Amino acid sequence: MFTGIIEALGTIAAVRREAANIHFTVESPFAGELQIDQSVAHDGVCLTVVAVDAAAGTHTVTAIDETLQKTNLANWQPGRRVNLERCLSANGRFDGHIVQGHVDLTAECESVEDQNGSWRYRFRHAPGPGRITVEKGSICINGTSLTCFDSTDDGFSVAIIPYTYEHTTFQDLRPGDRVNLEFDIVGKYVAKLLGR
Protein backbone atom coordinates (compact mmCIF):
# COMPACT_ATOMS: atom_id res chain seq x y z
CA MET A 1 0.00 0.00 0.00
CA PHE A 2 1.11 3.57 -0.73
CA THR A 3 0.00 7.02 0.37
CA GLY A 4 0.67 9.17 -2.68
CA ILE A 5 3.44 11.14 -0.96
CA ILE A 6 6.29 11.16 -3.48
CA GLU A 7 9.67 10.20 -2.00
CA ALA A 8 11.94 11.00 -4.90
CA LEU A 9 12.22 11.60 -8.62
CA GLY A 10 13.75 8.81 -10.68
CA THR A 11 14.97 8.82 -14.26
CA ILE A 12 14.40 6.08 -16.81
CA ALA A 13 17.92 4.93 -17.73
CA ALA A 14 17.06 2.08 -20.09
CA VAL A 15 14.04 0.44 -21.72
CA ARG A 16 14.18 -3.16 -22.92
CA ARG A 17 11.37 -5.09 -24.58
CA GLU A 18 11.05 -8.83 -24.07
CA ALA A 19 8.06 -10.48 -25.77
CA ALA A 20 4.98 -8.57 -24.51
CA ASN A 21 6.81 -7.17 -21.48
CA ILE A 22 8.94 -4.06 -21.01
CA HIS A 23 11.81 -3.86 -18.52
CA PHE A 24 12.59 -0.38 -17.18
CA THR A 25 15.90 0.41 -15.50
CA VAL A 26 15.49 3.42 -13.23
CA GLU A 27 18.08 5.67 -11.62
CA SER A 28 16.98 6.75 -8.15
CA PRO A 29 18.53 8.12 -4.96
CA PHE A 30 17.40 5.10 -2.94
CA ALA A 31 18.19 2.30 -5.42
CA GLY A 32 20.88 0.93 -3.09
CA GLU A 33 18.31 0.49 -0.32
CA LEU A 34 15.95 -1.60 -2.44
CA GLN A 35 15.65 -5.37 -2.47
CA ILE A 36 14.48 -7.74 -5.16
CA ASP A 37 10.73 -8.49 -4.83
CA GLN A 38 10.07 -5.13 -3.18
CA SER A 39 7.15 -3.06 -4.52
CA VAL A 40 7.77 0.52 -5.63
CA ALA A 41 5.24 2.90 -7.18
CA HIS A 42 6.50 4.47 -10.43
CA ASP A 43 4.22 7.35 -11.47
CA GLY A 44 1.55 5.60 -9.43
CA VAL A 45 2.07 2.12 -10.88
CA CYS A 46 3.02 -0.57 -8.37
CA LEU A 47 5.91 -2.53 -9.92
CA THR A 48 8.11 -5.28 -8.49
CA VAL A 49 11.85 -4.74 -8.29
CA VAL A 50 13.51 -7.55 -10.28
CA ALA A 51 17.13 -6.34 -10.18
CA VAL A 52 19.24 -3.84 -8.23
CA ASP A 53 22.60 -2.36 -9.18
CA ALA A 54 23.60 -0.42 -6.08
CA ALA A 55 26.91 0.72 -7.60
CA ALA A 56 25.11 2.26 -10.58
CA GLY A 57 22.27 3.59 -8.44
CA THR A 58 19.64 1.76 -10.49
CA HIS A 59 16.89 -0.78 -10.10
CA THR A 60 14.89 -2.64 -12.75
CA VAL A 61 11.15 -3.35 -12.88
CA THR A 62 8.99 -5.19 -15.40
CA ALA A 63 5.65 -4.09 -16.83
CA ILE A 64 3.39 -6.77 -18.35
CA ASP A 65 0.85 -6.21 -21.12
CA GLU A 66 -2.07 -5.57 -18.72
CA THR A 67 -0.09 -2.78 -17.08
CA LEU A 68 0.97 -1.34 -20.42
CA GLN A 69 -2.66 -1.27 -21.61
CA LYS A 70 -3.98 0.60 -18.54
CA THR A 71 -1.15 3.11 -18.01
CA ASN A 72 1.15 5.46 -19.88
CA LEU A 73 4.22 3.22 -19.40
CA ALA A 74 4.26 2.02 -23.01
CA ASN A 75 5.39 5.52 -24.01
CA TRP A 76 8.23 5.83 -21.48
CA GLN A 77 11.66 6.51 -22.97
CA PRO A 78 15.14 6.93 -21.47
CA GLY A 79 15.51 10.33 -19.85
CA ARG A 80 11.92 10.55 -18.66
CA ARG A 81 11.54 11.46 -14.99
CA VAL A 82 9.11 9.49 -12.82
CA ASN A 83 7.62 9.92 -9.34
CA LEU A 84 8.78 7.22 -6.92
CA GLU A 85 7.30 6.00 -3.65
CA ARG A 86 8.20 2.94 -1.63
CA CYS A 87 5.49 1.02 0.23
CA LEU A 88 4.23 2.43 3.51
CA SER A 89 5.90 0.76 6.49
CA ALA A 90 3.62 -0.53 9.25
CA ASN A 91 4.75 2.23 11.62
CA GLY A 92 4.83 5.01 9.00
CA ARG A 93 2.82 8.20 8.89
CA PHE A 94 -0.27 8.16 6.70
CA ASP A 95 0.10 11.60 5.15
CA GLY A 96 -1.74 11.15 1.84
CA HIS A 97 -4.64 8.79 1.19
CA ILE A 98 -5.00 5.04 0.55
CA VAL A 99 -3.26 4.34 -2.76
CA GLN A 100 -2.94 0.79 -4.08
CA GLY A 101 -0.70 1.44 -7.05
CA HIS A 102 -3.38 -0.04 -9.33
CA VAL A 103 -4.01 2.51 -12.07
CA ASP A 104 -7.60 2.68 -13.31
CA LEU A 105 -6.93 4.49 -16.60
CA THR A 106 -5.04 7.36 -18.14
CA ALA A 107 -6.28 10.92 -18.45
CA GLU A 108 -5.22 13.84 -20.63
CA CYS A 109 -3.86 17.05 -19.19
CA GLU A 110 -6.08 19.69 -20.77
CA SER A 111 -4.54 22.83 -19.34
CA VAL A 112 -1.89 24.20 -17.00
CA GLU A 113 -2.48 27.64 -15.52
CA ASP A 114 0.19 29.54 -13.60
CA GLN A 115 -1.66 31.27 -10.75
CA ASN A 116 1.24 33.36 -9.43
CA GLY A 117 2.35 31.09 -6.60
CA SER A 118 0.53 27.89 -7.48
CA TRP A 119 -0.54 26.00 -10.58
CA ARG A 120 -3.97 24.81 -11.66
CA TYR A 121 -4.15 21.66 -13.81
CA ARG A 122 -7.26 20.38 -15.58
CA PHE A 123 -7.61 16.72 -16.57
CA ARG A 124 -10.14 14.87 -18.74
CA HIS A 125 -10.79 11.12 -18.63
CA ALA A 126 -13.26 8.65 -20.08
CA PRO A 127 -16.37 8.41 -17.87
CA GLY A 128 -17.42 5.05 -16.51
CA PRO A 129 -18.36 2.99 -13.44
CA GLY A 130 -16.20 3.81 -10.41
CA ARG A 131 -14.54 6.75 -12.17
CA ILE A 132 -15.91 9.24 -9.71
CA THR A 133 -14.38 12.32 -8.13
CA VAL A 134 -16.05 14.55 -5.59
CA GLU A 135 -15.36 18.12 -4.58
CA LYS A 136 -12.40 18.18 -2.15
CA GLY A 137 -12.03 14.41 -2.52
CA SER A 138 -8.83 12.46 -3.14
CA ILE A 139 -7.33 11.54 -6.50
CA CYS A 140 -3.96 10.01 -7.35
CA ILE A 141 -2.23 11.46 -10.44
CA ASN A 142 1.06 9.85 -11.48
CA GLY A 143 1.35 8.54 -7.93
CA THR A 144 0.73 11.90 -6.26
CA SER A 145 -2.07 12.22 -3.71
CA LEU A 146 -4.07 15.35 -4.50
CA THR A 147 -7.37 17.05 -3.75
CA CYS A 148 -9.68 17.59 -6.71
CA PHE A 149 -12.24 20.29 -7.43
CA ASP A 150 -14.49 21.36 -10.32
CA SER A 151 -15.41 17.68 -10.66
CA THR A 152 -17.50 16.45 -13.58
CA ASP A 153 -18.27 12.97 -14.91
CA ASP A 154 -15.25 13.16 -17.17
CA GLY A 155 -12.83 15.57 -15.55
CA PHE A 156 -11.55 17.55 -12.60
CA SER A 157 -8.98 20.14 -11.59
CA VAL A 158 -6.19 20.12 -9.01
CA ALA A 159 -4.06 22.89 -7.53
CA ILE A 160 -0.32 22.33 -7.09
CA ILE A 161 1.69 24.18 -4.45
CA PRO A 162 5.31 25.15 -5.11
CA TYR A 163 6.78 22.31 -3.00
CA THR A 164 4.82 19.66 -4.92
CA TYR A 165 5.68 21.32 -8.23
CA GLU A 166 9.41 21.30 -7.44
CA HIS A 167 9.55 17.74 -6.05
CA THR A 168 7.38 15.84 -8.56
CA THR A 169 7.03 15.49 -12.31
CA PHE A 170 4.24 18.08 -12.38
CA GLN A 171 6.94 20.53 -13.44
CA ASP A 172 7.38 18.44 -16.63
CA LEU A 173 3.65 18.07 -17.39
CA ARG A 174 2.23 19.87 -20.42
CA PRO A 175 -1.23 20.04 -22.04
CA GLY A 176 -1.78 16.93 -24.15
CA ASP A 177 0.33 14.68 -21.91
CA ARG A 178 -1.28 11.54 -20.54
CA VAL A 179 -1.15 10.74 -16.83
CA ASN A 180 -1.96 7.69 -14.71
CA LEU A 181 -5.11 7.98 -12.57
CA GLU A 182 -6.11 5.97 -9.55
CA PHE A 183 -9.50 6.91 -8.17
CA ASP A 184 -10.13 6.79 -4.43
CA ILE A 185 -10.62 3.16 -3.37
CA VAL A 186 -13.32 4.08 -0.83
CA GLY A 187 -15.22 5.95 -3.54
CA LYS A 188 -14.93 2.98 -5.90
CA TYR A 189 -16.45 0.61 -3.33
CA VAL A 190 -19.28 3.03 -2.59
CA ALA A 191 -19.91 3.48 -6.32
CA LYS A 192 -20.10 -0.30 -6.82
CA LEU A 193 -22.50 -0.73 -3.91
CA LEU A 194 -24.73 1.99 -5.35
CA GLY A 195 -24.52 0.55 -8.85
CA ARG A 196 -22.56 3.50 -10.25
Side-chain angles (χ1 to χ4, degrees), residues 73-178:
L73 273 67
N75 297 321
W76 286 8
Q77 297 296 325
R80 179 192 176 98
R81 296 196 301 175
V82 294
N83 296 321
L84 299 175
E85 181 190 359
R86 288 176 283 186
C87 288
L88 177 68
S89 59
N91 63 346
R93 288 189 181 276
F94 204 92
D95 292 322
H97 73 280
I98 298 171
V99 176
Q100 296 181 295
H102 302 161
V103 170
D104 292 299
L105 77 165
T106 62
E108 181 180 347
C109 178
E110 285 197 312
S111 62
V112 180
E113 181 183 346
D114 187 334
Q115 297 192 311
N116 192 27
S118 66
W119 291 262
R120 176 183 175 137
Y121 291 75
R122 180 74 187 172
F123 296 93
R124 185 165 304 282
H125 60 82
R131 299 173 183 176
I132 296 172
T133 57
V134 296
E135 293 294 310
K136 305 302 184 277
S138 297
I139 188 72
C140 189
I141 303 172
N142 279 352
T144 309
S145 174
L146 294 164
T147 301
C148 53
F149 58 94
D150 290 343
S151 296
T152 63
D153 288 343
D154 64 352
F156 59 89
S157 297
V158 295
I160 303 296
I161 63 171
Y163 183 89
T164 303
Y165 186 86
E166 293 165 11
H167 291 86
T168 69
T169 58
F170 272 91
Q171 61 188 287
D172 303 330
L173 196 56
R174 302 290 181 267
D177 289 347
R178 298 207 71 78

Side-chain angles (χ1 to χ4, degrees), residues 8-61:
L9 287 174
T11 302
I12 303 299
V15 177
R16 181 172 62 87
R17 289 188 173 271
E18 182 181 28
N21 302 332
I22 301 180
H23 306 287
F24 297 100
T25 299
V26 184
E27 295 175 354
S28 78
F30 54 66
E33 302 171 37
L34 298 178
Q35 298 177 354
I36 292 174
D37 283 342
Q38 191 170 359
S39 294
V40 177
H42 298 69
D43 268 4
V45 183
C46 179
L47 297 169
T48 302
V49 175
V50 297
V52 175
D53 185 338
T58 64
H59 67 275
T60 301
V61 292

Side-chain angles (χ1 to χ4, degrees), residues 170-188:
F170 272 91
Q171 61 188 287
D172 303 330
L173 196 56
R174 302 290 181 267
D177 289 347
R178 298 207 71 78
V179 298
N180 297 319
L181 288 189
E182 181 181 333
F183 293 91
D184 182 43
I185 185 63
V186 176
K188 287 191 282 189

